Amino acid sequence: MSATVLIGSQWGDEGKGKITDFLAEKADCVVRYQGGSNAGHTVEVAHEQFKLHLIPSGILYPNTLCIIANGVVVDMGKVIEELESLKARGIDTSNLRLSLKAPVVMPYHKKIDELEDQASLIGTTKRGIGPAYADKINRIGVRICDCLEEASWLEKKVKKIVEYKNRIIEGIYQEEGFDYRLVLDQVLEQVNYLKPYLADTSFLIYEAIKQGKKVLFEGAQGTLLDIDHGTYPYVTSSHPISGGACVGAGIGPTQISRVLGVAKAYTTRVGEGPFPTELNDEMGDLLRQRGAEFGTTTGRPRRCGWLDTVILRYATRVNGMTDMAITKLDVLDGFETLKICVAYRYQGRLLYEFPESLGVLEQCVPEYIEMPGWQEDISGIKRLKDLPANARSYLRKIEEITGVKQCLVAVGAKRDQTIVKCEIFD
Ligand code: GDP
Ligand code: IMO
Ligand code: MG
């Protein structure tokens, strides 16, 4: 059995797209199980860059089955845009499958996301993610399979929901509402385009695993953005942690053999919320500039800080992590010393476990150890033993603190800038 769940170990943007693409060469199937077009996964091959939001990062391999499963909230217009853009670049997209059970992100979700974020100040991506998940839980969502039902039934459903949403948009926010007929027409046109891709994806994934195929679940966002286990309320509305793969793809926990945590060699976060190791100084600016830390989806500058192993140990626990991939090690080239947060100081005590409460986290001061940096350019290095001794010590320290073995180390954005320490798929 070779089903591996790949997750973000921090606040997203760890390089999940790059690692997924790297592993997709050997994977038979890559599955997105949560999130939506809030995700921005970058894949670089030779001189080409691909920014994927909904389509799995395995799509560049024509023989890899790529699945958008039921747990993803789907902006059908965005899927079509991504498909068209990939096709225009010569990418074969016939291996994409989209769950019939996936909830649809409707135009009013995006509008409400924008309006609500002005009050909540979470700094969402405004892609309608929170409102679409809220409607799913509230049982007033529209699923893709609903759009294939009899026209009059769907019309009645959409009319009722749009009228309700208009009461919120017009009544509370005094903004213009939606014409349900236009919403309906758009949805029908989009589902018609996507018809060839629609499938019972839980069945496809189950069969693939049963046949011994190599299945990779591509998490979006990251552990600290998880609705239950992240820095609530500054989180997304889904379950990016590994457990989310079961519900979000319709498979059982017994089907998963490994959990690969992707961790950036330092820490970043987009949007609001506490961030203990954040650097609001030239060092933070330097990391942002060297790491090109600007959001793939929104273009916002990412907040940057030192590596936080309290977070990585927490991510190890809540994901049941078996392996780790460290990315962007090359961004740390040229620093005299590097700091690693090993604990938090809170009201005079040292905390080694990530706090449950946001109030506590906000008062935590990181406790650092210092490691010597390296001056060499490591971006062309292919083997672990060729890395500078201090870079190897930095990696070893992370392994020692987390207790999780590292199987991959990325030293650049491109596919071939990846050092393999152990194979995920043999
Ligand atoms: P994701 O959301 O986790 O897939 O990550 P993003 O694509 O949003 O952000 C990661 C960024 O870092 C992208 O621009 C990648 O091309 C880039 N990247 C990934 N791995 C490396 C690496 O090892 N070194 C450098 N310099 N860039 C990397
Ligand atoms: P990938 O998959 C980083 C953040 C937003 C905001 C919060 C809630 O590329 O790692 P949402 O629109 O989801 O309701 O926003 O979550 N966020 C991300 N941050 N990477 C992402 O995805 C993110 N997706 C959402 O900035 O703080
Ligand atoms: Mg991203």
Side-chain angles (χ1 to χ4, degrees), residues 8 12-19 39-44 49 57 218-219 221 262 264 266 290-297 302 326-331 409-414 417:
D13 302 326
E14 296 89 350
K16 298 175 295 293
K18 181 212 150 112
I19 300 296
H41 296 184
T42 316
V43 176
E44 286 196 27
Q49 188 187 61
S57 304
E218 178 185 7
Q221 289 80 51
V262 183
K264 212 177 265 194
Y266 47 99
R290 286 203 196 159
E293 296 295 355
F294 295 89
T296 311
T297 300
R302 293 174 184 151
I326 303 290
T327 59
K328 303 191 99 161
L329 191 64
D330 55 299
V331 175
V409 178
V411 292
K414 299 212 178 337
Q417 291 178 298

CSV table of all heavy atoms in Angstrom, one decimal, residues 8 12-19 39-44 49 57 218-219 221 262 264 266 290-297 302 326-331 409-414 417, ligand 1:
chain,number,residue,atom,x,y,z
A,8,GLY,N,1.3,20.7,4.6
A,8,GLY,CA,2.1,21.9,4.9
A,8,GLY,C,2.3,21.9,6.4
A,8,GLY,O,1.3,21.7,7.2
A,12,GLY,N,1.3,27.4,5.5
A,12,GLY,CA,1.1,27.4,4.0
A,12,GLY,C,2.4,27.9,3.3
A,12,GLY,O,3.3,28.4,3.9
A,13,ASP,N,2.3,27.7,2.0
A,13,ASP,CA,3.4,28.2,1.1
A,13,ASP,C,4.8,27.6,1.4
A,13,ASP,O,5.8,28.2,1.2
A,13,ASP,CB,3.5,29.7,1.1
A,13,ASP,CG,2.2,30.4,0.7
A,13,ASP,OD1,1.5,29.9,-0.1
A,13,ASP,OD2,1.9,31.5,1.3
A,14,GLU,N,4.8,26.4,1.9
A,14,GLU,CA,6.0,25.7,2.2
A,14,GLU,C,6.8,25.2,1.0
A,14,GLU,O,7.9,24.7,1.1
A,14,GLU,CB,5.7,24.5,3.2
A,14,GLU,CG,5.1,24.9,4.6
A,14,GLU,CD,3.6,25.0,4.5
A,14,GLU,OE1,3.0,24.9,3.4
A,14,GLU,OE2,3.0,25.1,5.6
A,15,GLY,N,6.1,25.1,-0.1
A,15,GLY,CA,6.7,24.5,-1.3
A,15,GLY,C,6.0,23.2,-1.6
A,15,GLY,O,6.6,22.3,-2.2
A,16,LYS,N,4.7,23.0,-1.2
A,16,LYS,CA,4.0,21.8,-1.4
A,16,LYS,C,3.9,21.5,-2.9
A,16,LYS,O,4.0,20.3,-3.3
A,16,LYS,CB,2.6,21.9,-0.8
A,16,LYS,CG,2.6,22.1,0.7
A,16,LYS,CD,1.2,22.3,1.3
A,16,LYS,CE,0.5,23.5,0.8
A,16,LYS,NZ,1.1,24.8,1.3
A,17,GLY,N,3.7,22.5,-3.7
A,17,GLY,CA,3.5,22.3,-5.1
A,17,GLY,C,4.8,21.8,-5.7
A,17,GLY,O,4.7,20.8,-6.5
A,18,LYS,N,5.9,22.3,-5.4
A,18,LYS,CA,7.2,21.9,-5.9
A,18,LYS,C,7.4,20.4,-5.5
A,18,LYS,O,7.8,19.6,-6.4
A,18,LYS,CB,8.3,22.7,-5.4
A,18,LYS,CG,9.7,22.3,-6.0
A,18,LYS,CD,10.8,22.5,-5.1
A,18,LYS,CE,11.9,21.4,-5.3
A,18,LYS,NZ,13.1,21.9,-5.9
A,19,ILE,N,7.2,20.1,-4.2
A,19,ILE,CA,7.5,18.7,-3.8
A,19,ILE,C,6.5,17.7,-4.4
A,19,ILE,O,6.8,16.6,-4.8
A,19,ILE,CB,7.5,18.6,-2.2
A,19,ILE,CG1,8.5,19.5,-1.6
A,19,ILE,CG2,7.6,17.2,-1.7
A,19,ILE,CD1,10.0,19.2,-2.0
A,39,ALA,N,-5.6,28.3,-2.4
A,39,ALA,CA,-4.2,27.7,-2.5
A,39,ALA,C,-3.5,28.3,-3.8
A,39,ALA,O,-4.2,28.6,-4.8
A,39,ALA,CB,-4.4,26.2,-2.7
A,40,GLY,N,-2.2,28.4,-3.7
A,40,GLY,CA,-1.4,28.8,-4.8
A,40,GLY,C,-0.2,28.0,-4.8
A,40,GLY,O,0.7,28.2,-3.9
A,41,HIS,N,-0.1,27.0,-5.6
A,41,HIS,CA,1.0,26.0,-5.6
A,41,HIS,C,1.9,26.2,-6.9
A,41,HIS,O,1.4,26.1,-8.0
A,41,HIS,CB,0.5,24.6,-5.6
A,41,HIS,CG,-0.2,24.3,-4.3
A,41,HIS,ND1,-0.7,23.0,-3.9
A,41,HIS,CD2,-0.5,25.1,-3.2
A,41,HIS,CE1,-1.2,23.1,-2.7
A,41,HIS,NE2,-1.1,24.3,-2.3
A,42,THR,N,3.1,26.5,-6.7
A,42,THR,CA,4.0,26.9,-7.8
A,42,THR,C,4.9,25.7,-8.2
A,42,THR,O,5.5,25.0,-7.3
A,42,THR,CB,4.9,28.0,-7.4
A,42,THR,OG1,4.2,29.0,-6.7
A,42,THR,CG2,5.6,28.7,-8.6
A,43,VAL,N,4.9,25.4,-9.5
A,43,VAL,CA,5.8,24.4,-10.0
A,43,VAL,C,6.7,25.0,-11.1
A,43,VAL,O,6.2,25.7,-11.9
A,43,VAL,CB,4.9,23.2,-10.6
A,43,VAL,CG1,5.8,22.2,-11.2
A,43,VAL,CG2,4.0,22.6,-9.6
A,44,GLU,N,8.0,24.7,-11.0
A,44,GLU,CA,8.9,25.3,-12.0
A,44,GLU,C,9.6,24.1,-12.6
A,44,GLU,O,10.2,23.3,-12.0
A,44,GLU,CB,9.9,26.2,-11.3
A,44,GLU,CG,9.3,27.5,-10.9
A,44,GLU,CD,10.3,28.7,-10.7
A,44,GLU,OE1,11.4,28.6,-11.2
A,44,GLU,OE2,9.9,29.6,-9.9
A,49,GLN,N,7.1,28.4,-15.5
A,49,GLN,CA,6.5,28.4,-14.1
A,49,GLN,C,5.0,28.2,-14.2
A,49,GLN,O,4.4,28.8,-15.1
A,49,GLN,CB,6.8,29.7,-13.5
A,49,GLN,CG,6.4,29.8,-12.0
A,49,GLN,CD,6.6,31.1,-11.4
A,49,GLN,OE1,5.9,32.1,-11.8
A,49,GLN,NE2,7.4,31.2,-10.3
A,57,SER,N,-0.9,19.4,-8.4
A,57,SER,CA,0.4,19.7,-9.0
A,57,SER,C,1.0,18.5,-9.7
A,57,SER,O,2.2,18.5,-10.0
A,57,SER,CB,1.3,20.2,-7.9
A,57,SER,OG,0.8,21.3,-7.3
A,218,GLU,N,-2.3,15.7,-2.0
A,218,GLU,CA,-1.6,17.0,-1.9
A,218,GLU,C,-2.4,18.0,-1.1
A,218,GLU,O,-3.4,18.6,-1.5
A,218,GLU,CB,-1.5,17.6,-3.4
A,218,GLU,CG,-0.9,18.9,-3.4
A,218,GLU,CD,-0.9,19.5,-4.8
A,218,GLU,OE1,-1.5,18.9,-5.8
A,218,GLU,OE2,-0.3,20.6,-5.0
A,219,GLY,N,-1.9,18.2,0.2
A,219,GLY,CA,-2.6,19.1,1.0
A,219,GLY,C,-2.4,20.5,0.5
A,219,GLY,O,-1.4,20.9,-0.1
A,221,GLN,N,-2.8,24.8,2.0
A,221,GLN,CA,-2.6,25.5,3.2
A,221,GLN,C,-1.6,24.8,4.1
A,221,GLN,O,-0.7,24.2,3.6
A,221,GLN,CB,-3.9,25.8,3.9
A,221,GLN,CG,-4.8,26.8,3.2
A,221,GLN,CD,-5.6,26.2,2.1
A,221,GLN,OE1,-6.3,25.2,2.2
A,221,GLN,NE2,-5.6,26.9,0.9
A,262,VAL,N,5.8,19.0,4.7
A,262,VAL,CA,6.7,19.9,4.0
A,262,VAL,C,7.0,21.1,4.9
A,262,VAL,O,6.0,21.7,5.4
A,262,VAL,CB,6.1,20.4,2.6
A,262,VAL,CG1,7.1,21.3,1.9
A,262,VAL,CG2,5.8,19.2,1.8
A,264,LYS,N,9.3,24.7,5.4
A,264,LYS,CA,10.3,25.7,4.9
A,264,LYS,C,11.4,25.8,5.9
A,264,LYS,O,11.2,25.7,7.1
A,264,LYS,CB,9.5,27.0,4.7
A,264,LYS,CG,10.0,27.9,3.6
A,264,LYS,CD,9.2,29.2,3.6
A,264,LYS,CE,8.0,29.1,2.6
A,264,LYS,NZ,7.4,30.4,2.3
A,266,TYR,N,12.7,28.2,7.0
A,266,TYR,CA,12.5,29.3,8.0
A,266,TYR,C,10.9,29.4,8.0
A,266,TYR,O,10.3,28.4,7.7
A,266,TYR,CB,13.1,30.7,7.4
A,266,TYR,CG,12.8,31.0,6.0
A,266,TYR,CD1,11.8,31.8,5.6
A,266,TYR,CD2,13.6,30.3,5.0
A,266,TYR,CE1,11.6,32.1,4.2
A,266,TYR,CE2,13.3,30.5,3.6
A,266,TYR,CZ,12.3,31.4,3.3
A,266,TYR,OH,12.1,31.6,1.9
A,290,ARG,N,15.1,37.5,-0.6
A,290,ARG,CA,15.8,36.3,-1.1
A,290,ARG,C,14.9,35.1,-1.4
A,290,ARG,O,15.1,34.4,-2.3
A,290,ARG,CB,16.8,35.8,-0.1
A,290,ARG,CG,18.0,36.7,0.0
A,290,ARG,CD,19.1,35.9,0.6
A,290,ARG,NE,20.2,36.8,1.0
A,290,ARG,CZ,21.1,36.5,1.9
A,290,ARG,NH1,21.1,35.3,2.4
A,290,ARG,NH2,22.0,37.3,2.3
A,291,GLY,N,13.8,35.0,-0.6
A,291,GLY,CA,12.9,33.9,-0.8
A,291,GLY,C,11.8,34.2,-1.7
A,291,GLY,O,10.9,33.4,-2.0
A,292,ALA,N,11.8,35.4,-2.3
A,292,ALA,CA,10.7,35.9,-3.1
A,292,ALA,C,9.3,35.6,-2.4
A,292,ALA,O,8.4,35.0,-3.0
A,292,ALA,CB,10.7,35.3,-4.5
A,293,GLU,N,9.2,36.1,-1.2
A,293,GLU,CA,8.1,35.7,-0.4
A,293,GLU,C,6.9,36.7,-0.6
A,293,GLU,O,6.6,37.6,0.2
A,293,GLU,CB,8.4,35.6,1.1
A,293,GLU,CG,9.5,34.5,1.4
A,293,GLU,CD,8.9,33.1,1.2
A,293,GLU,OE1,7.7,32.9,0.9
A,293,GLU,OE2,9.7,32.2,1.3
A,294,PHE,N,6.2,36.4,-1.7
A,294,PHE,CA,5.0,37.2,-2.1
A,294,PHE,C,3.9,36.1,-2.5
A,294,PHE,O,4.3,35.2,-3.2
A,294,PHE,CB,5.3,38.2,-3.2
A,294,PHE,CG,6.2,39.2,-2.8
A,294,PHE,CD1,7.6,39.1,-3.0
A,294,PHE,CD2,5.8,40.4,-2.2
A,294,PHE,CE1,8.5,40.1,-2.5
A,294,PHE,CE2,6.7,41.4,-1.8
A,294,PHE,CZ,8.0,41.2,-2.0
A,295,GLY,N,2.7,36.3,-2.0
A,295,GLY,CA,1.7,35.3,-2.1
A,295,GLY,C,1.4,34.9,-3.6
A,295,GLY,O,1.4,35.8,-4.5
A,296,THR,N,1.3,33.6,-3.8
A,296,THR,CA,1.0,33.1,-5.2
A,296,THR,C,-0.4,33.4,-5.6
A,296,THR,O,-0.6,33.6,-6.8
A,296,THR,CB,1.2,31.6,-5.2
A,296,THR,OG1,2.5,31.3,-4.6
A,296,THR,CG2,1.2,31.0,-6.6
A,297,THR,N,-1.3,33.5,-4.7
A,297,THR,CA,-2.7,33.8,-5.0
A,297,THR,C,-3.0,35.2,-5.0
A,297,THR,O,-3.7,35.8,-5.9
A,297,THR,CB,-3.6,33.0,-4.1
A,297,THR,OG1,-3.3,31.6,-4.2
A,297,THR,CG2,-5.1,33.2,-4.4
A,302,ARG,N,4.7,38.2,2.1
A,302,ARG,CA,4.5,37.2,3.2
A,302,ARG,C,5.4,37.7,4.4
A,302,ARG,O,6.5,38.3,4.2
A,302,ARG,CB,5.0,35.9,2.8
A,302,ARG,CG,4.2,35.2,1.7
A,302,ARG,CD,4.8,33.9,1.2
A,302,ARG,NE,4.0,33.4,0.1
A,302,ARG,CZ,4.5,32.6,-0.8
A,302,ARG,NH1,5.8,32.3,-0.8
A,302,ARG,NH2,3.7,32.1,-1.8
A,326,ILE,N,12.4,19.3,3.6
A,326,ILE,CA,12.8,20.7,3.9
A,326,ILE,C,13.0,21.5,2.6
A,326,ILE,O,13.6,21.0,1.7
A,326,ILE,CB,14.1,20.7,4.7
A,326,ILE,CG1,14.0,19.9,6.0
A,326,ILE,CG2,14.5,22.2,5.1
A,326,ILE,CD1,13.1,20.4,7.1
A,327,THR,N,12.3,22.6,2.5
A,327,THR,CA,12.4,23.4,1.3
A,327,THR,C,13.1,24.8,1.6
A,327,THR,O,13.2,25.2,2.7
A,327,THR,CB,11.0,23.7,0.7
A,327,THR,OG1,10.3,24.4,1.7
A,327,THR,CG2,10.3,22.5,0.3
A,328,LYS,N,13.6,25.4,0.5
A,328,LYS,CA,14.1,26.7,0.5
A,328,LYS,C,15.4,26.9,1.4
A,328,LYS,O,15.6,27.9,1.9
A,328,LYS,CB,13.1,27.8,0.9
A,328,LYS,CG,11.9,27.7,-0.1
A,328,LYS,CD,10.9,28.8,0.0
A,328,LYS,CE,11.1,29.9,-1.0
A,328,LYS,NZ,10.0,30.8,-1.2
A,329,LEU,N,16.1,25.8,1.5
A,329,LEU,CA,17.4,25.8,2.3
A,329,LEU,C,18.3,26.8,1.7
A,329,LEU,O,19.1,27.5,2.4
A,329,LEU,CB,18.0,24.4,2.4
A,329,LEU,CG,19.1,24.3,3.4
A,329,LEU,CD1,18.7,24.5,4.8
A,329,LEU,CD2,19.8,22.9,3.3
A,330,ASP,N,18.3,26.9,0.4
A,330,ASP,CA,19.2,27.9,-0.4
A,330,ASP,C,19.0,29.3,0.0
A,330,ASP,O,19.9,30.1,-0.1
A,330,ASP,CB,19.0,27.7,-1.9
A,330,ASP,CG,17.5,27.9,-2.3
A,330,ASP,OD1,16.6,27.1,-1.8
A,330,ASP,OD2,17.2,28.9,-3.0
A,331,VAL,N,17.8,29.6,0.5
A,331,VAL,CA,17.5,31.0,0.8
A,331,VAL,C,18.3,31.5,2.0
A,331,VAL,O,18.6,32.6,2.2
A,331,VAL,CB,15.9,31.2,1.1
A,331,VAL,CG1,15.6,32.6,1.6
A,331,VAL,CG2,15.1,30.9,-0.1
A,409,VAL,N,15.3,17.4,0.4
A,409,VAL,CA,15.7,18.7,0.7
A,409,VAL,C,15.8,19.5,-0.6
A,409,VAL,O,16.4,19.1,-1.5
A,409,VAL,CB,17.2,18.7,1.4
A,409,VAL,CG1,17.6,20.2,1.7
A,409,VAL,CG2,17.2,17.9,2.6
A,410,ALA,N,15.0,20.6,-0.6
A,410,ALA,CA,15.0,21.5,-1.8
A,410,ALA,C,15.9,22.6,-1.7
A,410,ALA,O,16.0,23.3,-0.6
A,410,ALA,CB,13.5,22.0,-2.0
A,411,VAL,N,16.7,22.8,-2.7
A,411,VAL,CA,17.7,23.9,-2.7
A,411,VAL,C,17.4,24.9,-3.9
A,411,VAL,O,18.3,25.7,-4.3
A,411,VAL,CB,19.1,23.4,-2.8
A,411,VAL,CG1,19.5,22.6,-1.5
A,411,VAL,CG2,19.3,22.5,-4.0
A,412,GLY,N,16.2,24.9,-4.4
A,412,GLY,CA,15.8,25.8,-5.5
A,412,GLY,C,14.4,25.5,-5.9
A,412,GLY,O,13.9,24.4,-5.5
A,413,ALA,N,13.8,26.4,-6.7
A,413,ALA,CA,12.4,26.2,-7.1
A,413,ALA,C,12.2,25.1,-8.1
A,413,ALA,O,11.1,24.6,-8.3
A,413,ALA,CB,11.8,27.5,-7.5
A,414,LYS,N,13.3,24.8,-8.9
A,414,LYS,CA,13.1,23.9,-10.0
A,414,LYS,C,13.1,22.5,-9.6
A,414,LYS,O,13.6,22.1,-8.6
A,414,LYS,CB,14.2,24.2,-11.0
A,414,LYS,CG,14.2,25.6,-11.5
A,414,LYS,CD,14.8,25.7,-12.9
A,414,LYS,CE,14.8,27.0,-13.5
A,414,LYS,NZ,13.9,28.0,-13.0
A,417,GLN,N,16.2,20.8,-8.6
A,417,GLN,CA,17.0,21.3,-7.4
A,417,GLN,C,16.4,20.7,-6.1
A,417,GLN,O,15.9,21.3,-5.2
A,417,GLN,CB,16.8,22.9,-7.4
A,417,GLN,CG,17.6,23.5,-8.5
A,417,GLN,CD,17.4,25.0,-8.5
A,417,GLN,OE1,16.2,25.5,-8.6
A,417,GLN,NE2,18.4,25.8,-8.3
B,1,GDP,P1,2.9,26.0,-1.8
B,1,GDP,O1,1.7,26.8,-1.6
B,1,GDP,O2,3.3,25.2,-0.5
B,1,GDP,O3,2.9,25.1,-3.0
B,1,GDP,O4,4.1,27.0,-2.0
B,1,GDP,P2,4.1,28.3,-3.0
B,1,GDP,O5,4.2,27.8,-4.4
B,1,GDP,O6,3.0,29.2,-2.6
B,1,GDP,O7,5.4,29.1,-2.5
B,1,GDP,C1,6.7,28.5,-2.5
B,1,GDP,C2,7.6,29.3,-3.4
B,1,GDP,O8,8.9,28.9,-3.2
B,1,GDP,C3,7.3,29.1,-4.9
B,1,GDP,O9,7.6,30.3,-5.5
B,1,GDP,C4,8.3,28.0,-5.3
B,1,GDP,O10,8.6,28.1,-6.6
B,1,GDP,C5,9.4,28.4,-4.4
B,1,GDP,N1,10.3,27.3,-4.0
B,1,GDP,C6,9.9,26.0,-3.7
B,1,GDP,N2,10.9,25.3,-3.2
B,1,GDP,C7,12.0,26.1,-3.2
B,1,GDP,C8,13.4,26.0,-2.8
B,1,GDP,O11,13.8,25.0,-2.3
B,1,GDP,N3,14.2,27.1,-3.0
B,1,GDP,C9,13.7,28.3,-3.5
B,1,GDP,N4,14.6,29.3,-3.6
B,1,GDP,N5,12.4,28.4,-3.9
B,1,GDP,C10,11.6,27.4,-3.7
